[in-house]
Amino acid sequence: AGGGVATNVGMIRLECRGVSLSKNDPSANNKLAFAFLDDLRRSPLVDPQGTQLGAQIVEDEPTSTFSFEITLALKRPLKL
């Protein structure tokens, strides 16, 4: 058997990227990021209070995409 030390992971940082919809609706990217956050918070595996959207939603006009971070808090840490 291996003699490694088990590590518990309770937080996961997600780096998310989507197709920008801001040309149709200036608030569309924000709405999409918050809708995704809400969906994650409804998961039975996730601590909704600890799961947070990052500070910035960044649009990348040359690629017509936008990106944002979510810190995902698990109710039960993963043992690695």
Side-chain angles (χ1 to χ4, degrees):
V5 176
T7 301
N8 290 330
V9 175
M11 303 289 272
I12 299 171
R13 190 183 74 171
L14 303 175
E15 293 186 27
C16 306
R17 185 175 209 91
V19 174
S20 178
L21 303 173
S22 65
K23 288 183 181 176
N24 299 327
D25 176 0
S27 65
N29 296 343
N30 286 358
K31 289 177 183 176
L32 184 60
F34 280 101
F36 184 53
L37 175 66
D38 289 341
D39 283 346
L40 290 172
R41 285 179 169 166
R42 283 193 286 275
S43 169
L45 304 174
V46 171
D47 171 12
Q49 292 182 357
T51 298
Q52 302 293 322
L53 187 64
Q56 294 183 331
I57 298 173
V58 180
E59 188 163 357
D60 183 14
E61 289 187 30
T63 62
S64 298
T65 62
F66 71 104
S67 60
F68 57 96
E69 290 184 4
I70 290 180
T71 300
L72 188 68
L74 301 175
K75 283 186 179 176
R76 299 174 75 194
L78 299 173
K79 189 178 279 189
L80 303 177

